[in-house]
Amino acid sequence: QVQLVESGGGLVQAGGSLRLSCAASGRTFSNYDMGWFRQAPGAEREFVAAMPWSGGSTRYADSVKGRFTTSRDNAKNTVYLQMNSLKPEDTAVYYCGADARGSWYSSYAYRYWGQGTQVTVSS
């Protein structure tokens, strides 16, 4: 079992930055592919970014490419999502997922989820 806890969300003006963290505990974190998703009110959970256990070959949604960067520190059992040039349409609850069994782009592939952290971007 893996427990995930997201943090770092908040209220920011358009054009600002936030860094989200996802701290993992439980089983060996370094073995897991990790993903970030977000969910706005009334919308489905959508893919934001993903990173394999090795830390290479990250993937991003087109809507965040060039603005968001994900990274991981296996020694700290933590994954990060650096979000720059934030836009009002980035407003959502952001979730990290662990242990993808299938396509990184699908939320159904991930076995473990955190509780989410709210990001609100004002115009």
Side-chain angles (χ1 to χ4, degrees):
Q1 194 74 5
V2 173
Q3 292 78 43
L4 303 173
V5 179
E6 299 96 336
S7 61
L11 174 64
V12 64
Q13 287 188 331
S17 299
L18 284 173
R19 188 175 82 154
L20 305 184
S21 299
C22 173
S25 60
R27 309 188 89 177
T28 307
F29 167 79
S30 59
N31 291 342
Y32 294 138
D33 298 341
M34 301 293 295
W36 288 96
F37 286 71
R38 65 188 182 187
Q39 189 166 17
E44 301 219 341
R45 193 169 294 192
E46 66 170 359
F47 171 78
V48 174
M51 169 177 288
W53 65 270
S54 62
S57 301
T58 53
R59 297 289 187 268
Y60 298 94
D62 288 342
S63 58
V64 308
K65 203 171 291 183
R67 300 187 297 121
F68 291 11
T69 303
T70 188
S71 60
R72 66 192 296 163
D73 185 338
N74 287 339
K76 295 183 178 180
N77 285 355
T78 302
V79 174
Y80 304 98
L81 183 68
Q82 177 67 44
M83 305 186 296
N84 299 326
S85 302
L86 283 161
K87 304 175 180 180
E89 52 263 43
D90 295 318
T91 296
V93 177
Y94 283 70
Y95 299 90
C96 67
D99 195 14
R101 306 288 179 94
S103 171
W104 290 352
Y105 301 95
S106 171
S107 63
Y108 295 101
Y110 293 78
R111 292 185 65 194
Y112 306 107
W113 290 97
Q115 84 291 347
T117 185
Q118 175 71 46
V119 171
T120 303
V121 184
S122 63
S123 57

